[in-house]
Amino acid sequence: MSGADASETTASGTARRSRLELVSDVLLETTRFFHDERFVQLLPVMLGRSTDPLGPDPGSSILRTTELDYLGQRFYLMNSMILHKQIAVREVGPIWILSPNVRLERAERGRTGRHLFEFTQADFELPGATAADVRSLMERYYARLGTALAGHPAFGRLGVEPPSFRPPWRVVTTHDLETRFGPDWEGPASTAADQPFWAVCHRREFYDREDPADPGHFLNYDLIYPGGYGEALSGAEREWDAERIRTRIRRDGVPPQAFRAYLELAHDLVPSAGAGFGIERLVRFLTKSPHVGDVQFFRRVPGETVAL
Amino acid sequence: MSGADASETTASGTARRSRLELVSDVLLETTRFFHDERFVQLLPVMLGRSTDPLGPDPGSSILRTTELDYLGQRFYLMNSMILHKQIAVREVGPIWILSPNVRLERAERGRTGRHLFEFTQADFELPGATAADVRSLMERYYARLGTALAGHPAFGRLGVEPPSFRPPWRVVTTHDLETRFGPDWEGPASTAADQPFWAVCHRREFYDREDPADPGHFLNYDLIYPGGYGEALSGAEREWDAERIRTRIRRDGVPPQAFRAYLELAHDLVPSAGAGFGIERLVRFLTKSPHVGDVQFFRRVPGETVAL
């Protein structure tokens, strides 16, 4: 190996290690935060009787959801624990999960810089909470994370500034974002921003609550990172009325058998709100890495050859 | 619902919640411990190009390992991250992972009280460590956990004593255990014990290191809980010589295609030792629960109907 090669390897090894150290510290700080906020940490689920989002569907980038039969029951490899959270929150109260998700994305999604076919999200749900409560909780989370990580030597080694989160953050409707940036607003709006911002009121999943005071509007919210890094977090107040849930499942044309197990448990649901945020996207943003896969030791980028 | 039913439901709801609170606190204390010991926390992997243990094989209780093809590559649903750890430890140093594992066990394993088809293990690996180093690390872990949890109100609600871990613990060879308790020593030896103990020197997986000073003996170790609760943890010093690994894979007759990806990376391995311990088994032991599934909110017992 030439001297130039060796130094490049060392530099890239140092960068790789710095990113992994930050992943590790983000996991620690996230764990501390939710415990201090009195959430109960549940164990993750990999195989579930219902999951969402399901692929493929006409608007989906997910190639397929993996199904398997085990001792007479059909399971799905979990795309997310959203439905499980809504069932658990009713009994346990505030919950959070460090939840690995598999989404077998189309190969072209590997080039967005933001998509993986396996990733870990911090997924939480809070009974009786409003959208504003969740936004406030998450602003506390990011502020605390920024303070905890400010002195981390990895930033200097990577040549990037430590995070400077200065909430509260702007709340913008997707209607306004579309007016200003067009239908694909996420990239340009993220690039134009210098702090994270909240994008609210998307028409999407059946379990997002429609505003009873303003039908056609939805009590959901995404957090968008600045600098072109795009979506950080996605969440909503949940629909808890089983009949409205059934009506919306029919309306959306999602395959009912995939939601049968969920619907059997979806009685006496409690109002709740929550969200999930990807650990890899967060550390990519903190480290200004070219690709979200750069922060995984075992890289899981759609369309790339996987070593192990 | 009659009064008696209601009070039974409340009592069982309280027990269930108490167990979940202890799971949550064990996850927090485990995270703190490994960070304080300067391990890097890696993200889990659900789909891998190699995994172990594979089912089915003649001695295995695992029905099958789930395989799937994604964009031209074959993946296994992870039974454990053991092979991944050995590759990561070479580059990253001390690592740990909160690792969900799927093992599609035969239905009769649901009746052992100790088996699940999905569970979470704390999985760690330490470069340059000996078996004695790992035993000492884990004795520190359990002692600290016992201290941290001693005052938890869940124990009083459940009517059980808080843990009383008093390491260092006995180290017994499986040869001695077999002599005293017969070939199925785990249950009776666990029942006879009043503190956890180390069972060492099993003939098993190809990646466990054979003692160079004493061929036919293996540098591995299980921790066994007292009171009949059985295996807590399993680990070993690892074989790092790629040629010896290849020889032992051939000798054991394991399907070579499942280990191809691992073997391609298994050069310049470093000596290391590590272990994995199941969070559910730990909390079952702490709470003296009848079944390891009792500590899961989403119960995953082989042969039982799964709600969600």
Side-chain angles (χ1 to χ4, degrees), chain B residues 98-298:
Chain B
L98 206 53
S99 175
N101 293 178
V102 168
R103 298 188 190 170
L104 300 180
E105 302 271 3
R106 297 178 197 284
E108 56 266 32
R109 282 280 193 140
R111 295 192 294 270
T112 64
R114 302 188 299 111
H115 289 89
L116 298 166
F117 69 88
E118 288 198 56
F119 62 95
T120 294
Q121 60 176 321
D123 213 357
F124 66 93
E125 196 76 15
L126 196 52
T130 63
D133 294 334
V134 171
R135 291 196 294 264
S136 163
L137 178 82
M138 282 294 94
E139 290 177 353
R140 287 202 299 284
Y141 166 77
Y142 279 97
R144 177 173 157 169
L145 184 71
T147 303
L149 297 181
H152 200 297
F155 294 109
R157 284 188 241 124
L158 289 164
V160 298
E161 291 296 315
S164 164
F165 293 123
R166 298 185 305 275
W169 291 320
R170 278 188 308 139
V171 179
V172 194
T173 67
T174 54
H175 179 80
D176 287 349
L177 289 162
E178 283 172 7
T179 302
R180 184 162 168 210
F181 296 102
D184 294 326
W185 55 263
E186 187 182 323
S190 169
T191 301
D194 65 351
Q195 278 283 303
F197 66 90
W198 295 100
V200 301
C201 190
H202 312 259
R203 174 177 288 279
R204 60 181 181 198
E205 288 83 359
F206 65 80
Y207 41 76
D208 285 1
R209 187 150 183 256
E210 197 166 353
D211 190 341
D214 197 0
H217 294 262
F218 294 86
L219 299 170
N220 51 25
Y221 37 83
D222 286 358
L223 183 69
I224 310 293
Y225 290 126
Y229 291 93
E231 185 190 302
L233 168 151
S234 184
E237 290 185 31
R238 313 301 177 189
E239 181 52 69
W240 70 85
D241 180 282
E243 202 40 53
R244 282 199 296 263
I245 291 171
R246 280 194 192 89
T247 303
R248 292 178 63 184
I249 285 180
R250 278 194 300 270
R251 181 204 67 191
D252 291 0
V254 292
Q257 72 282 5
F259 298 101
R260 192 169 297 140
Y262 163 70
L263 286 172
E264 279 175 17
L265 299 173
H267 48 78
D268 306 324
L269 292 176
V270 298
S272 71
F277 57 93
I279 300 296
E280 294 90 341
R281 286 185 176 185
L282 169 50
V283 179
R284 180 196 179 209
F285 172 70
L286 294 175
T287 57
K288 307 293 182 278
S289 298
H291 199 290
V292 69
D294 298 338
V295 313
Q296 294 179 306
F297 185 85
F298 297 105

